[in-house]
Amino acid sequence: GAVVSQHPSRVICKSGTSVKIECRSLDFQATTMFWYRQFPKKSLMLMATSNEGSKATYEQGVEKDKFLINHASLTLSTLTVTSAHPEDSSFYICSASQGGYQPQHFGDGTRLSIL
Amino acid sequence: AQKITQTQPGMFVQEKEAVTLDCTYDTSDPSYGLFWYKQPSSGEMIFLIYQGSYDQQNATEGRYSLNFQKARKSANLVISASQLGDSAMYFCAMNYGNKLVFGAGTILRVKS
């Protein structure tokens, strides 16, 4: 149980392109979903928290207009990297939780490479 | 503010031996949860074990156990009978509200 699917697993695209990443909870309803960014051999950095039907809460220093998050249902959240540039290249990973002290369950991540 | 410290950037262990990965934390909240996740080179984050601050007993899950010492604010992960497949990055994390704060991670390499 508690499976989170993230798609695509890898994206390579040209600078200026917008890229959408999907995060789905397959067998549970996720009250809250989280988006993280991870640089090689580094820890996860929380970018934003999204709750179904409401606006995402972004962490300090994260550009809201660059990283658009939509949480349209209890099983789907999307992250759109708008007008991506090489410095946006990174590993992005989502997680979903049923709330409270329930553990966050993670997707497999998306490796984004902007040329 | 919540903080997680993992002081071991890398560890080696011989196959079939036990290994302890260190984690200390800092929080002023009396109620909190501690988590350990495994991240193989493929990137996915695998939940291993959870310890609540009010839990009386140390958590165990198969070959994983959590050595929880509340007074010392430590939550070390013990992996028994290491296997080659245990080679990965391991993260200790603590919740604050519904968010998680992660430590810097420890890379574990299991030698045959």
Side-chain angles (χ1 to χ4, degrees):
Chain A
V3 177
V4 175
S5 173
Q6 186 172 341
H7 179 79
S9 58
R10 190 175 190 96
V11 180
I12 302 173
C13 58
K14 293 180 179 179
S15 184
T17 306
S18 291
V19 178
K20 180 184 280 188
I21 303 170
E22 290 189 349
C23 180
R24 293 180 184 273
S25 58
L26 298 185
D27 53 0
F28 67 100
Q29 292 188 325
T31 306
T32 309
M33 288 185 170
F34 305 86
W35 288 94
Y36 296 85
R37 183 172 182 175
Q38 186 180 28
F39 292 102
K41 293 187 169 53
K42 297 295 184 183
S43 190
L44 278 71
M45 180 187 75
L46 180 64
M47 299 174 64
T49 303
S50 72
N51 293 292
E52 183 263 341
S54 61
K55 289 185 178 180
T57 303
Y58 291 80
E59 295 299 303
Q60 192 172 6
V62 177
E63 298 178 62
K64 300 178 184 180
D65 295 333
K66 161 67 75 176
F67 301 101
L68 299 179
I69 291 170
N70 182 272
H71 193 160
S73 74
L74 283 172
T75 60
L76 174 63
S77 177
T78 60
L79 166 68
T80 301
V81 184
T82 61
S83 187
H85 293 285
E87 58 266 29
D88 299 322
S89 298
S90 193
F91 187 65
Y92 294 88
I93 191 165
C94 72
S95 71
S97 170
Q98 292 170 282
Y101 286 141
Q102 295 296 314
Q104 292 185 22
H105 298 280
F106 287 80
D108 288 347
T110 298
R111 296 193 188 279
L112 176 62
S113 299
I114 308 298
L115 305 177
Chain B
Q2 283 76 5
K3 185 179 180 182
I4 293 283
T5 302
Q6 293 180 255
T7 58
Q8 305 156 314
M11 289 281 287
F12 283 96
V13 64
Q14 194 67 37
E15 194 178 8
K16 300 181 184 178
E17 292 186 351
V19 63
T20 298
L21 306 183
D22 294 343
C23 172
T24 58
Y25 61 92
D26 191 22
T27 180
S28 56
D29 290 337
S31 179
Y32 51 88
L34 295 157
F35 304 79
W36 276 93
Y37 286 87
K38 172 185 177 182
Q39 187 178 40
S41 57
S42 49
E44 70 271 28
M45 293 283 285
I46 303 167
F47 165 69
L48 296 178
I49 196 165
Y50 165 80
Q51 179 84 43
S53 59
Y54 293 120
D55 292 344
Q56 294 297 312
Q57 303 217 346
N58 287 346
T60 60
E61 288 287 347
R63 294 187 298 112
Y64 305 108
S65 60
L66 200 151
N67 184 0
F68 182 45
Q69 298 188 40
K70 196 170 183 176
R72 297 179 60 185
K73 293 189 175 180
S74 74
N76 298 339
L77 176 70
V78 180
I79 304 174
S80 63
S82 296
Q83 302 171 356
L84 295 177
D86 293 334
S87 293
M89 175 80 96
Y90 288 80
F91 290 101
C92 179
M94 178 171 62
N95 70 291
Y96 62 107
N98 64 348
K99 301 179 184 180
L100 285 178
V101 58
F102 287 87
T106 297
I107 297 176
L108 176 67
R109 292 285 179 253
V110 180
K111 300 184 291 185
S112 58

